[in-house]
Amino acid sequence: MNETVLQVRHLSKSFGDHEVLRDVDFTVSKGEVISIIGSSGSGKSTLLRCMNLLEKPTSGEVLFHGDNIQAPGFNLQTYRAHVGMVFQSFNLFANMTALDNCVVGQMKVLGRSRVQAQNIAMAFLEKVGMSAYVKAKPRQLSGGQKQRVAIARALAMNPEVLLFDEPTSALDPEMVGEVLTVMKDLASTGLTMLVVTHEMGFARDVSDRVVFMDGGVIVESDVPEVVFTQPKHPRTREFLARILEN
Amino acid sequence: MPNAQSGFFEWVFFFVRTYGPMFLQGAGTTLLIALTGTLVGFIIGLAVGYVRAIPCAKEDGAVKYWLLKLARTLLGVYIEVFRSTPMIVQSMVIFYGASSVLHINLPYLLAGFIIVSINTGAYLSEIVRGGIQSVDPGQMEAGLAIGMTYGQTMLNVVLPQAIRNILPALGNEFVVNIKDTSVLNVISVTELYFVSKSAAGTYFKYFEVFFITSVIYFVMTFTITRFLRWVEKKMDGPQNYAIHGSQTVPDVELIPKGGATNE
């Protein structure tokens, strides 16, 4: 068994009276590619957002290499650079070019020089096939292009783990492919990835483990072959039947 | 000097010839106060708007929470007081208040700077706050998610966008200030209106003089409005972008000169 990178223990999150996550336990090992599936409102995105503290858990803890990320004195900035995030709505910095989007974090958080940061940014923009568009502002790019720049931005921070929050849900069908291709490439490089997705093809073919969530709890978690062909839980069966129908 | 039978234009030319330098000086003072007041007011507005936009929840620690609460209440009082009283009254209160309560005789020009700055600051802080709120919250999240602090993301990502969004309002404020500095004549600041009033009073030719005055005000505000429009366009950057490595634009330089050797 590989080294544990992230560990979620007894995590709960409520928004007011609404309990979104209920006592979730969850472990991520080095190099794992995990797909989190489930219907809307099942708590998938909230789980992901709690893992880099964009949402504060109501109770429970998240451990990064054994260290509690909410402990006083824990360096949250460095942690977030190590655990990158790709958003459904891309969230590229609208006032910066594609290149500067990938440069600013490296300079501010990792203290790299502009030249060094630009070289690294260029390398990753090349990797996602966006090196021709370095001078473009986000509003000049298509959704798929924006998402690829967003992935390059996260990669430029040399993350250990990347969290993907429905990275293809806001894309036109024909742009989904270009982003999934980039993600497949990344998965093959051994990067640890957590992907909240509705792309069942990606979940089945690329991930090492599929986690099915429903009603704020993890219902089932296993290798894709088992989850997709012989799910143990009736709710998983129901969900898959519904989603694979179309 | 034209006589009593002289026409409108003769008087206008007379005033332009004799009082030209004074008009220009008055216009210069007006512009100086309006510009300084708007800039300082903008800085005040940015600072106040920034503080009022900091998210604050009780879980972040009691000290921080109550300090923020206190700061916000005080800033709220400042904004309300200065938005709810006319600048002409503020001028009197500040200028004569300083001399009779604090025993400080403010130089006229300095008094003008102070009054216009804090008055503008009150309006602009609300505009800045609105500008910050108009930026997609996803921008802040993205900044935090790559490890930047709240302040770093504010400075590098949110505020530049907020400022771009409020630029028209800022220009508006500048134009209003050029015109509203005229109220400073009540505390004897020798700006354009004050100069005009003196010139007109000497010859009892109010229409002729204030015709010239209005032309000067119009030229100033119109020029500045155009200039600000140009700045807005400039800030938006080019509509098109060069494809990196493109054959048609071969001089697209990505790494700054000398960059490669520094490696």
Side-chain angles (χ1 to χ4, degrees):
Chain A
M1 189 67 191
N2 268 334
E3 175 195 357
T4 300
V5 180
L6 276 166
Q7 199 178 0
V8 172
R9 287 207 298 216
H10 303 297
L11 190 77
S12 296
K13 172 70 185 176
S14 309
F15 294 105
D17 291 336
H18 183 55
E19 219 178 9
V20 183
L21 290 176
R22 282 182 289 181
D23 201 30
V24 171
D25 283 282
F26 181 56
T27 307
V28 182
S29 304
K30 201 171 171 57
E32 250 189 321
V33 176
I34 303 173
S35 290
I36 305 174
I37 61 173
S39 40
S40 302
S42 56
K44 316 177 297 278
S45 289
T46 308
L47 173 62
L48 218 59
R49 290 165 60 83
C50 280
M51 293 178 79
N52 67 357
L53 291 192
L54 283 181
E55 299 293 351
K56 270 204 182 125
T58 312
S59 65
E61 52 194 21
V62 178
L63 306 179
F64 181 59
H65 292 294
D67 296 326
N68 187 344
I69 66 169
Q70 284 185 285
F74 181 86
N75 191 335
L76 189 60
Q77 273 72 45
T78 318
Y79 167 74
R80 280 173 168 161
H82 284 153
V83 180
M85 179 133 180
V86 174
F87 297 88
Q88 178 177 357
S89 47
F90 331 123
N91 296 353
L92 285 184
F93 303 136
N95 57 323
M96 298 181 192
T97 61
L99 182 68
D100 284 340
N101 261 282
C102 305
V103 163
V104 62
Q106 295 187 62
M107 291 174 67
K108 300 290 169 196
V109 184
L110 306 178
R112 289 176 184 157
S113 73
R114 174 165 288 277
V115 174
Q116 198 185 3
Q118 279 187 337
N119 288 337
I120 292 170
M122 254 339 256
F124 284 111
L125 283 165
E126 193 116 19
K127 194 167 175 176
V128 299
M130 284 300 294
S131 58
Y133 299 90
V134 285
K135 296 227 164 187
K137 287 274 183 76
R139 65 185 147 85
Q140 296 163 325
L141 299 173
S142 73
Q145 290 174 327
K146 279 190 235 190
Q147 195 59 297
R148 285 188 282 152
V149 173
I151 292 173
R153 171 174 71 181
L155 288 174
M157 307 298 287
N158 296 120
E160 227 182 299
V161 183
L162 265 194
L163 311 174
F164 292 83
D165 188 6
E166 303 197 22
T168 57
S169 300
L171 296 176
D172 288 346
E174 44 186 333
M175 290 169 184
V176 171
E178 58 184 270
V179 172
L180 286 182
T181 310
V182 168
M183 290 171 62
K184 275 178 203 160
D185 285 349
L186 283 178
S188 66
T189 61
L191 180 72
T192 311
M193 291 163 64
L194 252 77
V195 187
V196 169
T197 186
H198 292 292
E199 293 295 327
M200 291 305 134
F202 179 88
R204 188 177 46 218
D205 304 335
V206 184
S207 41
D208 304 313
R209 182 146 64 97
V210 175
V211 172
F212 173 68
M213 284 185 75
D214 191 51
V217 294
I218 292 179
V219 175
E220 196 157 340
S221 165
D222 214 322
V223 292
E225 295 79 52
V226 175
V227 175
F228 281 101
T229 53
Q230 40 204 282
K232 293 180 203 83
H233 205 283
R235 273 197 302 210
T236 318
R237 278 200 289 273
E238 229 172 85
F239 172 78
L240 288 172
R242 211 160 0 104
I243 203 154
L244 295 177
E245 221 166 70
N246 11 5
Chain B
M1 190 186 132
N3 56 38
Q5 277 78 45
S6 302
F8 172 74
F9 287 106
E10 285 169 277
W11 277 104
V12 167
F13 285 128
F14 166 72
F15 278 113
V16 169
R17 242 192 347 262
T18 10
Y19 285 89
M22 268 182 75
F23 276 124
L24 284 185
Q25 207 168 11
T29 308
T30 290
L31 212 52
L32 182 67
I33 296 178
L35 185 66
T36 316
T38 309
L39 282 180
V40 176
F42 179 48
I43 293 166
I44 296 175
L46 275 181
V48 175
Y50 181 95
V51 171
R52 280 165 66 91
I54 296 175
C56 102
K58 270 195 167 138
E59 304 99 64
D60 295 341
V63 180
K64 187 184 164 199
Y65 178 78
W66 288 111
L67 270 180
L68 260 175
K69 264 252 144 106
L70 179 69
R72 263 177 218 195
T73 311
L74 292 177
L75 294 175
V77 169
Y78 156 65
I79 290 169
E80 288 314 323
V81 165
F82 277 86
R83 287 203 310 178
S84 314
T85 51
M87 191 154 83
I88 194 165
V89 174
Q90 291 164 16
S91 311
M92 299 300 254
V93 170
I94 291 176
F95 186 72
Y96 292 107
S99 75
S100 64
V101 179
L102 304 172
H103 304 291
I104 302 168
N105 282 314
L106 286 174
Y108 298 125
L109 201 58
L110 179 65
F113 287 155
I114 294 175
I115 291 158
V116 178
S117 299
I118 46 185
N119 183 280
T120 307
Y123 283 95
L124 286 184
S125 17
E126 283 301 271
I127 292 175
V128 169
R129 194 165 65 94
I132 291 173
Q133 282 169 355
S134 76
V135 176
D136 172 19
Q139 299 280 308
M140 176 54 77
E141 286 193 348
L144 295 178
I146 56 171
M148 292 203 285
T149 59
Y150 175 84
Q152 285 172 332
T153 312
M154 245 340 193
L155 237 52
N156 292 287
V157 178
V158 177
L159 280 181
Q161 293 178 49
I163 290 172
R164 168 61 191 90
N165 290 347
I166 65 171
L167 217 54
L170 197 62
N172 210 20
E173 196 62 29
F174 189 23
V175 167
V176 166
N177 274 343
I178 289 179
K179 296 183 291 177
D180 281 5
T181 42
S182 58
V183 307
L184 295 173
N185 81 86
V186 298
I187 55 163
S188 310
V189 178
T190 52
E191 39 64 52
L192 185 54
Y193 181 85
F194 187 87
V195 170
S196 311
K197 209 174 57 170
S198 319
T202 314
Y203 296 91
F204 292 100
K205 287 289 173 193
Y206 288 92
F207 176 54
E208 289 79 356
V209 169
F210 280 98
F211 176 76
I212 301 172
T213 311
S214 51
V215 170
I216 299 176
Y217 273 120
F218 180 81
V219 170
M220 286 199 290
T221 48
F222 187 75
T223 316
I224 279 154
T225 314
R226 295 289 119 178
F227 171 72
L228 287 171
R229 193 65 53 77
W230 177 81
V231 171
E232 274 175 43
K233 281 226 173 94
K234 203 84 193 152
M235 271 185 91
D236 287 340
Q239 282 302 303
N240 300 308
Y241 53 89
I243 298 282
H244 182 56
S246 149
Q247 291 297 308
T248 48
V249 203
D251 57 339
V252 175
E253 197 62 55
L254 170 66
I255 307 293
K257 287 204 164 69
T261 49
N262 286 355
E263 255 292 274

